Amino acid sequence: MTQSLNRRTLITLATSLALSIPFACAAGSAVVKIGFAGPLTGPQAHYGEDMKSGIAFAIDEANASQPKIGGQPVKFELVAADDQADPRSATAVAQRFVDSGVNGIIGHFNSGTSIPASRIYSQAGIPQISMSTAPAYTSQGFKTTFRAMTSDTQQGPTLGNFAVKKLGLKRIAIVDDRSAYGQGLADQFEKAAKAAGADIVQREYTTDRATEFSAILTNIKAKRPDAIFYGGADTQSAPMVNQMRRLGMTMPLISGEMTRTDNFLKTTAANGNGVMVSLAGLPIEQAPGGAAFMGKLKAKYKAADFYAPFAYDATMTMIRAMQSANSADPKKYLPVLAASNVPGVAAKTIAWDTKGDLKNGDITIYKAFNGKWVPIESVTAGK
């Protein structure tokens, strides 16, 4: 990851924020600013654009209802910033959000950016609903941190138990990208797989920018594993699968939700067949109105993929909390947000425990087949 911000990046960021943040009222309505930060440039930009689509869709829907808070008309505004999937960029963005007076944060996308930014939001008392799955995000004791998805402590064990108990895999190799997300998920998977009786024959490491894995895969091939688990993004898992097949490695790859993307399917084509991944929640297309929701979302925002519904749920939950509290003041609506118990489209219910982790632990395992992600089993974490 980029380790520092150059002067040009700072100027561009400051200009972007200045242009996108409304400070006055619009058409007689008070402006309520909802901040979003994620990777909008670079190899992970498709994740950020996906998440941004869900937020924008929720804000458009909320504004169409002519919302009021405290009896006064309001207009919700999306304030988006590119954190480049970089921790230092993320903290710079977070401080500018705080200084500009945003009313709430949906983001960041990555665990590695959400965790350092969360301290800044906590100190300012601004609620943050993140896509972060790393356990460290909600273990800091901040009252302002909430998850939009299940944590690694829920997904990792689900995948580990599924691989060993359901698929009968006994010899497993593990690779992770050393990110807060990738390593955290891999650690939880390894712990569960070992407890279920599997032998971890090799543990390898790469980076979230790598695209060449021949040396790692050659070492793993010699161990003759039944499967490989990868903790990281599709920008690594896709080329990894293609290189596995070129090396004659036919065993399945198992991974987390960052691999469950259209980008992975397009990049791997037939090589991706058989890859298995987890994703929080039940299949949205199977929920009442889920297929229609996704149809409208993708028709309006071409970048929308599977993160968009989670971002939509997070945004709508925050907006509902403001309306229920009759205030967009973070200090006043935060307790209402923390006590949320509302239906979602990506999850049956949006409700958090005292740490900010989702109480609903539904997780679905998908398999790639002929260019589609096919759900093969849904489970409740811990059961």
Side-chain angles (χ1 to χ4, degrees), residues 46-247:
H46 57 295
Y47 293 124
E49 291 294 345
D50 179 13
M51 187 175 174
K52 182 181 173 184
S53 297
I55 301 169
F57 193 60
I59 288 176
D60 288 348
E61 188 174 284
N63 284 335
S65 69
Q66 298 181 331
K68 292 183 179 181
I69 293 179
Q72 299 300 314
V74 296
K75 179 181 179 182
F76 295 101
E77 292 278 1
L78 170 60
V79 184
D82 179 18
D83 68 12
Q84 305 169 48
D86 173 69
R88 293 194 182 187
S89 296
T91 55
V93 167
Q95 190 58 58
R96 282 169 173 74
F97 277 161
V98 170
D99 293 344
S100 68
V102 296
N103 301 88
I105 301 293
I106 308 296
H108 298 216
F109 172 77
N110 304 86
S111 293
T113 55
S114 296
I115 293 169
S118 66
R119 180 172 296 276
I120 295 172
Y121 300 133
S122 175
Q123 291 171 345
I126 299 175
Q128 173 193 12
I129 307 177
S130 169
M131 289 293 176
S132 173
T133 62
Y137 173 64
T138 52
S139 67
Q140 302 172 96
F142 300 151
K143 299 301 182 183
T144 51
T145 56
F146 304 91
R147 293 189 196 276
M149 305 185 75
T150 50
S151 72
D152 293 339
T153 57
Q154 294 168 303
Q155 289 208 59
T158 297
L159 280 168
N161 286 321
F162 179 80
V164 181
K165 296 179 180 180
K166 294 294 180 70
L167 300 181
L169 305 174
K170 296 299 182 183
R171 295 172 55 81
I172 303 173
I174 296 175
V175 184
D176 76 72
D177 67 359
R178 298 283 83 180
S179 69
Y181 162 73
Q183 182 178 351
L185 184 61
D187 288 346
Q188 294 294 326
F189 173 88
E190 179 176 8
K191 181 180 178 180
K194 283 181 175 179
D199 180 19
I200 306 304
V201 299
Q202 188 87 347
R203 178 97 188 227
E204 294 279 357
Y205 312 101
T206 183
T207 73
D208 62 358
R209 299 295 173 122
T211 56
E212 175 53 53
F213 307 102
S214 295
I216 289 175
L217 293 173
T218 298
N219 289 336
I220 290 175
K221 184 179 181 181
K223 302 290 184 178
R224 294 181 299 169
D226 298 325
I228 297 175
F229 177 84
Y230 179 67
D234 62 0
T235 44
Q236 284 70 51
S237 60
M240 184 179 292
V241 166
N242 287 335
Q243 290 165 41
M244 285 172 60
R245 303 309 180 229
R246 285 201 295 269
L247 289 170

Side-chain angles (χ1 to χ4, degrees), residues 68 87 100 115 150 196 219 297 317 323 333 337 345 365:
K68 292 183 179 181
S100 68
I115 293 169
T150 50
N219 289 336
L297 179 62
T317 302
Q323 292 174 317
Y333 82 80
L337 179 67
V345 295
I365 309 295

